[in-house]
Each structure stands twice: as structure tokens, then as C-alpha cells.
Amino acid sequence: MLKEVDFYYFSPTGGTKKVGQCLANALAKSAILHDFADKKHSAAPTAELSIIALPVFGGRIPAFAAQKLKLIDGKNKKAVAIVVYGNRAYEDALLELNNLAKESFNVIACGAFVAQHSMYPKLGEGRPDEADIEELNAFAALILRKLACGQNGEIKVPGNYPYKADFIAPATPVSSDSCCLCGKCAQACPTDAIAICAGKLTTDLSKCMLCMACVHACPNHARALPEPMQKQIQLMLDKYRSARRKNEIYI
Ligand SMILES: Cc1cc2nc3c(=O)[nH]c(=O)nc-3n(C[C@H](O)[C@H](O)[C@H](O)COP(=O)(O)O)c2cc1C
């Protein structure tokens, strides 16, 4: 087991962090956390190994997180790059993350793991679960073995280039009458899209990436996707409920 790992992540509703933290726990005694939602600039890695974990938005990695990752000087240190998706599909996200991470890290392993869908929690409900954690532990054992052998070599992952079109939010979450203007949603928003001014809450669609951090942070459950959008999502995603999507590793 390693002494520590650097853990870079973007996790608006906690699923990506949970998966990455399980992997970190199996790899090292402690993790240095680097949250891409923090407004401060993220530091370069100091540990032997980094974990980079991003969620999948529309088959891609969120552009916001990609920009943050570009600012990190990985010093060509070793890294494990993983995407976390909501039991539909990860499409081009892992290829995009691997390509981007390779620009400044030496990527020695990649993976795609499932967590509960942040827009439609009935998809992947309860994941990562015990079986996922076992698979994360097994993945960690392979990574540690690879580190010990000093093996190297390019990691190939599925996905297409050019990538799918950028994910663009068609609408923002909205607040209901039970909103008490506490401002927790505005604090949680990574892009400062939410403002409270003269007793009114507004959300800037041009800044919103629909990451659901505001919905997750609302203590009164007063924030949600607009109802027509919820219905559309249900129609689109219900068919993915029956199959348990697999975690995939590339090492
Ligand atoms: C805007 C948006 C788009 C998403 N697109 C996909 C997708 O294309 N495929 C998928 O399986 N899950 C998708 N999801 C689900 C997330 O990838 C999944 O819930 C992930 O765990 C969210 O990370 P978080 O819990 O760290 O916020 C999407 C979620 C959001 C908010």
C-alpha cells in the first residue's frame, strides 16, 4: 500500500468522489484532496500516484472540469484516470479524459465506474455498492502490482474522436415556493451561476452546466429540474433501468 495519493476530482453530487475515495482507500493510507469545484487553483501532485476522477455528462467529461485539469502540472507523474457514469453509457468520456490527462501525467490505468445517476436517481440506484467496492479493491491491487513491477506502456480505452458534441444545458434547475433564500445553492454552484438579489433568486443559463450541485445542496428540497425536463429525462432514461452496467478497467 502507498503512503499517500493525490486525488483530483469533480463531484457535484458526491458519486464521483465516493468512487474515487474507495479507490484511494484501497491504494494508500491517505489522500490529498483536490476538488475542482474549489475556486482556488489546484496544486501539482506531490505523491507518487494521482487519481483523477470525473463524472460523465452527455457522454463527455464536463468542459468545466476539463479546463481545471488543463491547469494542473502533473510533472509527468503516474496517474489513474477514471470516469463515473450513471448506468447509461460513458461513450467518449474516458477517451477524452485519458487524452487530456496524458498531456501532463503518465497514465498507468483507466476505468469507467457506475454511480447513481444524479439527474435520475432510479438509474444506478445505490451504486457504488458492495460489489462495486470489491471491483475497486481488485482494480487497486492490479495498480499496486503494476507500480511494483515498474511496467509502463500506453493505455488504450474505448471512445471516438472527434468526440460527441459538447454537452450544453438546455435549461437550469428551478426553485419552488419553499425556497427560503438561504443561499446554499449559490455557494454550491461551481460556476457562480446563481445569484440572490433583492429577495430574488436567479440562475444564469449561460453559466449553468446542469451539474445538479445546487439541487443536491438545497436543505429544503426546494430546487429541482423543471417538470417538463424531468418527464423528458424519465422517458429517455427509463429503458436503462433494467440492466446493471459493468465497471470497466484498462491497465
Ligand atoms: C448533465 C448530466 C449529464 C449526464 N450524462 C450522463 C451520461 O451521458 N451517461 C450516464 O451514464 N450518466 C450521465 N449522467 C449521470 C452522471 O454521470 C452520474 O450520476 C455521476 O455519478 C455524477 O457524478 P457526481 O455524483 O459526482 O455529481 C449525467 C448527469 C448529469 C448531471
Side-chain angles (χ1 to χ4, degrees):
M1 178 167 277
L2 304 171
K3 200 166 143 242
E4 55 183 15
V5 285
D6 281 280
F7 176 26
Y8 295 91
Y9 64 94
F10 179 54
S11 187
T13 70
T16 308
K17 185 175 180 187
K18 205 182 277 179
V19 170
Q21 188 71 62
C22 285
L23 184 61
N25 293 346
L27 283 168
K29 291 199 180 100
S30 70
I32 307 161
L33 302 187
H34 305 273
D35 184 352
F36 285 161
D38 276 352
K39 306 278 174 331
K40 290 174 280 147
H41 183 269
S42 285
T46 53
E48 177 188 353
L49 182 73
S50 295
I51 297 169
I52 307 166
L54 300 184
V56 175
F57 283 8
R60 298 278 305 275
I61 54 173
F64 168 86
Q67 289 306 322
K68 292 284 183 143
L69 180 54
K70 280 185 194 159
L71 296 175
I72 314 281
D73 175 10
K75 303 178 189 162
N76 211 31
K77 281 177 163 255
K78 292 183 173 122
V80 178
I82 61 171
V83 292
V84 178
Y85 71 108
N87 206 62
R88 185 187 70 80
Y90 64 86
E91 295 168 300
D92 302 335
L94 189 58
L95 179 66
E96 186 180 12
L97 174 58
N98 189 23
N99 285 343
L100 198 57
K102 275 191 311 197
E103 288 177 13
S104 79
F105 289 88
N106 171 12
V107 179
I108 62 158
C110 285
F113 290 87
V114 176
Q116 188 162 298
H117 201 294
S118 50
M119 280 182 148
Y120 190 53
K122 286 180 182 158
L123 258 195
E125 200 165 16
R127 296 185 74 182
D129 56 20
E130 299 235 319
D132 293 314
I133 293 168
E134 258 180 49
E135 288 179 31
L136 283 157
N137 289 341
F139 185 37
L142 292 176
I143 294 166
L144 290 174
R145 196 181 311 158
K146 186 165 186 178
L147 281 175
C149 299
Q151 266 176 290
N152 250 325
E154 184 112 337
I155 301 294
K156 289 220 159 58
V157 298
N160 294 303
Y161 187 84
Y163 309 128
K164 280 189 77 179
D166 287 348
F167 174 78
I168 296 168
T172 75
V174 289
S175 297
S176 71
D177 291 346
S178 48
C179 169
C180 64
L181 297 176
C182 69
K184 293 250 163 65
C185 54
Q187 274 166 28
C189 178
T191 58
D192 294 324
I194 303 172
I196 299 173
C197 194
K200 257 193 90 138
L201 187 147
T202 55
T203 312
D204 183 343
L205 175 59
S206 69
K207 289 184 179 171
C208 178
M209 59 175 145
L210 261 186
C211 72
M212 307 297 284
C214 57
V215 173
H216 187 70
C218 178
N220 295 334
H221 307 289
R223 193 117 174 118
L225 294 171
E227 232 166 76
M229 194 182 208
Q230 285 184 38
K231 289 206 177 110
Q232 209 184 340
I233 287 172
Q234 183 174 349
L235 266 176
M236 255 168 51
L237 296 182
D238 249 348
K239 59 174 175 276
Y240 300 105
R241 277 179 69 183
S242 50
R244 181 182 169 96
R245 291 272 185 263
K246 286 195 184 112
N247 302 311
E248 293 175 14
I249 61 167
Y250 300 90
I251 185 161

